[in-house]
Amino acid sequence: MRKCDEIGVLIKKYIKFRNKRIKTVAAELGMKQKTLSEQLITGTLRAEQLFRIAACLDIDLNWMMAALGYLGPVGSFDGNDVPRMSDEFRKKELGELLPRLDELISINLGDTIQIRKQLLAENSNNLIYLLDVFVPSDKSIKYTQKMGKLHPFIVGDTPKTKSHTTMMAMHKTTQRKITAEQALDIIIEDRKDEIL
């Protein structure tokens, strides 16, 4: 695959990671959906379009260059890192999601599983997006891909006790792989402790 084609593939991942659709991104850029789709497929984005897309989706162009191998060889596992939102972008998204999470906690009387299901349903079942918003930026979000489906997880520390600080602060203990569902449940439990 040519690098220009791989850029389109990465941008499509970003669109998914940011919980958007090509149609929405095209509208935000003042483009037709068909035009943007074709440019992503054929790898014919101009530099100016790439910069506008990067600004719209909070794409770290240095990360993209590294992921595409422009900065040296890429290990097989490196390509499975989720590019994290900038702190400013995350703060904006958190400002929209946190009040809804609080509302779901109140409506569902603290039923973590039901809250998780509703939160996912309202956000296109996009676990990566929710983790990127709620999980602190010092944690790595990774994914594996099986049969075309992404399976996100966090490599982090196992908390000894529940945290009473904001959103999944973890104490240094044991490194482990935390599934996306487990991480979201921890986030919900921590938030319940804060507001109930």
Side-chain angles (χ1 to χ4, degrees):
M1 184 180 287
R2 300 174 320 169
K3 289 211 189 276
C4 58
D5 296 333
E6 291 176 11
I7 290 171
V9 170
L10 277 179
I11 290 172
K12 287 179 186 177
K13 283 184 181 180
Y14 259 101
I15 290 170
K16 180 173 179 58
F17 294 159
R18 298 300 188 246
N19 204 31
K20 296 191 179 223
R21 300 190 185 288
I22 290 178
K23 179 179 182 177
T24 309
V25 173
E28 289 176 21
L29 297 172
M31 298 174 71
K32 293 181 180 178
Q33 176 183 350
K34 183 177 180 182
T35 303
L36 179 58
S37 292
E38 286 175 1
Q39 289 177 338
L40 293 176
I41 291 168
T42 60
T44 56
L45 287 170
R46 294 186 323 266
E48 184 263 339
Q49 292 170 314
L50 178 61
F51 292 141
R52 289 178 56 216
I53 291 169
C56 175
L57 296 173
D58 190 39
I59 294 176
D60 178 346
L61 293 175
N62 288 322
W63 178 91
M64 183 180 273
M65 287 188 319
L68 292 171
Y70 284 103
L71 303 178
V74 179
S76 60
F77 200 67
D78 293 338
N80 291 333
D81 284 324
V82 172
R84 299 300 308 270
M85 294 176 186
S86 67
D87 290 338
E88 184 178 314
F89 197 86
R90 180 179 301 102
K91 185 176 178 181
K92 176 187 156 291
E93 298 295 308
L94 188 59
E96 295 174 13
L97 281 178
L98 197 54
R100 182 59 184 151
L101 176 57
D102 293 349
E103 188 177 332
L104 289 173
I105 289 170
S106 297
I107 291 170
N108 292 290
L109 304 173
D111 181 346
T112 301
I113 294 171
Q114 188 59 35
I115 294 164
R116 176 175 26 97
K117 285 180 181 178
Q118 281 189 266
L119 192 60
L120 281 165
E122 292 176 10
N123 290 282
S124 308
N125 288 312
N126 194 334
L127 281 165
I128 291 175
Y129 167 73
L130 292 172
L131 292 178
D132 202 8
V133 172
F134 287 121
V135 172
S137 59
D138 64 334
K139 303 294 178 213
S140 293
I141 302 173
K142 299 186 177 283
Y143 66 90
T144 57
Q145 192 165 357
K146 295 177 187 167
M147 299 179 73
K149 186 172 179 185
L150 299 181
H151 300 276
F153 61 94
I154 297 171
V155 177
D157 303 319
T158 306
K160 283 185 178 175
T161 60
K162 286 197 175 191
S163 167
H164 291 287
T165 59
T166 314
M167 295 301 138
M168 202 166 160
M170 295 182 174
H171 303 288
K172 293 268 183 210
T173 55
T174 309
Q175 284 283 323
R176 73 175 182 127
K177 180 177 163 180
I178 303 168
T179 68
E181 292 82 3
Q182 290 169 328
L184 200 49
D185 287 351
I186 292 169
I187 292 163
I188 293 166
E189 290 292 323
D190 281 352
R191 190 62 184 169
K192 282 173 18 182
D193 285 348
E194 290 181 27
I195 66 170
L196 293 181

